[in-house]
Amino acid sequence: MSQSPRHTSRRTRPEVIGEAIKEYIARHGLGPGDRLPQESHLVEVLDASKGTIREALRGLAAQGLIQTRTGPGGGAFICEVSDDRAMELLGNYFFFRPPTIHDIYEVRKQLQPAMVESLQGRLDDAAFQRLEAVMAYYTHPPASLEEERTQRIKELEFHLVLVDYCPNPLLALMCRFMIRLLMSLTTCQRIYEQPYPELRQRGYHFQRRLLDALRDNAWDEARRITAEHMQAAQALMEAREATLDKAFFRADATDGDSPSREYLALRDFSASDRFVPHHSDHGYEPTG
């Protein structure tokens, strides 16, 4: 049986122009704060309408590569994509196929020790002060569930601080994204909202040992501690996930937080039969 050719989307004219502008930026060595040529110049050089140029610029702005300013001295200016924007775009990729806790830790077990090893010679007194300041949030048992959740987030922020000193931008991005996933994943949030003293105790213990090794420049030891930490954290998180899943299926449907007003509005709209799924290039079509 012959296989159908892989579908490839054809780029639109604004997308082609957007790529040309990015190539222009790279070839001319432009950086954050530099201004792109005026719209009239782009229209003339690229032989495109104003509408097409503006759509291309909107696409670059959506990617976080430029920002437009109005008024005197305005125009399109190059800007550096922020970490938050990069995380948002990566998160969109996984919107319909979110990774599991197991998936995340399988990657973290490979990347986190390598990231820690890359920090040789890059941690100064200010870096250690930042790490100690974060750890101060969870040196003690929490007084409330809200404080416990804050402690979980701060434990993850400890690793984000380390990532800030990683000299490899690709490794840093991948490690940072794994940590952000743990902060935002619904399953993880459910875990963080429940009492779980062992998670704090084990996390603090590993991080204290890691800080001591980093201060002593014991890099083999630091890598080993990090690997152990990732393995232990995975086991604890997966065990807790299994426990909460069982409790979730036993719970009454009215337990927990009520759905948001916005969600209920969307649900009611979908249930009204005003729109039904239609397998076409247009997605959803009116029923009449």
Side-chain angles (χ1 to χ4, degrees):
M1 180 182 294
S2 61
Q3 294 182 342
S4 60
R6 180 178 297 178
H7 174 72
T8 56
S9 59
R10 190 173 183 177
R11 290 193 299 179
T12 64
R13 178 67 171 154
E15 289 172 339
V16 171
I17 289 177
E19 290 300 315
I21 293 174
K22 287 196 286 187
E23 185 177 359
Y24 174 87
I25 293 171
R27 287 183 178 275
H28 286 76
L30 302 181
D34 291 333
R35 183 164 61 181
L36 290 177
Q38 293 291 342
E39 180 184 282
S40 58
H41 181 72
L42 293 174
V43 167
E44 179 181 354
V45 171
L46 296 171
D47 189 25
S49 67
K50 284 185 178 181
T52 300
I53 294 297
R54 290 174 181 175
E55 188 174 346
L57 293 177
R58 282 195 295 268
L60 294 177
Q63 297 173 41
L65 292 171
I66 68 167
Q67 59 180 189
T68 56
R69 304 174 193 166
T70 58
F77 294 83
I78 301 167
C79 56
E80 187 173 4
V81 179
S82 67
D83 285 344
D84 288 342
R85 185 60 176 149
M87 296 302 106
E88 181 182 354
L89 293 172
L90 280 173
N92 288 341
Y93 177 81
F94 292 102
F95 188 80
F96 292 107
R97 46 180 176 181
T100 64
I101 289 177
H102 179 80
D103 295 333
I104 295 171
Y105 275 100
E106 285 299 297
V107 175
R108 290 196 79 199
K109 285 190 298 186
Q110 301 299 318
L111 297 184
Q112 202 74 16
M115 186 276 293
V116 167
E117 192 171 35
S118 75
L119 302 178
Q120 296 187 44
R122 305 189 68 87
L123 298 177
D124 55 13
D125 290 341
F128 286 112
Q129 289 175 9
R130 287 182 63 193
L131 292 165
E132 291 284 3
V134 172
M135 292 184 68
Y137 281 90
Y138 46 92
T139 57
H140 55 279
S144 65
L145 287 177
E146 181 61 29
E147 184 179 10
E148 179 150 358
R149 185 180 185 282
T150 298
Q151 289 181 340
R152 297 294 81 74
I153 297 302
K154 290 297 181 179
E155 287 175 32
L156 293 170
E157 285 184 11
F158 174 93
H159 297 289
L160 286 176
V161 173
L162 288 177
V163 172
D164 284 345
Y165 297 91
C166 177
N168 184 327
L170 183 57
L171 180 58
L173 175 67
M174 296 173 70
C175 287
R176 185 174 287 112
F177 183 57
M178 295 299 106
I179 297 167
R180 293 290 183 89
L181 279 176
L182 289 173
M183 288 180 168
S184 61
L185 203 65
T186 301
T187 304
C188 294
Q189 291 179 356
R190 287 172 53 210
I191 293 173
Y192 301 151
E193 289 170 356
Q194 302 295 323
Y196 199 7
E198 187 177 2
L199 193 60
R200 180 195 66 82
Q201 294 164 0
R202 295 288 295 275
Y204 180 82
H205 174 69
F206 276 113
Q207 290 178 3
R208 175 54 60 192
R209 289 173 56 203
L210 176 59
L211 266 187
D212 292 343
L214 293 175
R215 281 197 173 96
D216 294 339
N217 290 313
W219 296 102
D220 288 342
E221 178 71 1
R223 184 184 180 103
R224 185 180 65 79
I225 292 170
T226 303
E228 289 181 6
H229 183 16
M230 294 299 101
Q231 188 72 40
Q234 178 179 8
L236 288 173
M237 290 289 285
E238 289 184 351
R240 192 62 169 180
E241 178 185 22
T243 300
L244 289 182
D245 282 345
K246 292 178 182 178
F248 176 79
F249 287 115
R250 290 196 304 266
D252 186 86
T254 59
D255 287 349
D257 295 335
S258 299
S260 68
R261 179 179 61 185
E262 291 79 7
Y263 167 78
L264 291 174
L266 283 172
R267 183 198 63 182
D268 294 342
F269 180 79
S270 300
S272 68
D273 290 329
R274 293 176 62 184
F275 282 72
V276 296
H278 186 280
H279 298 292
S280 70
D281 293 336
H282 302 289
Y284 288 84
E285 294 185 356
T287 59

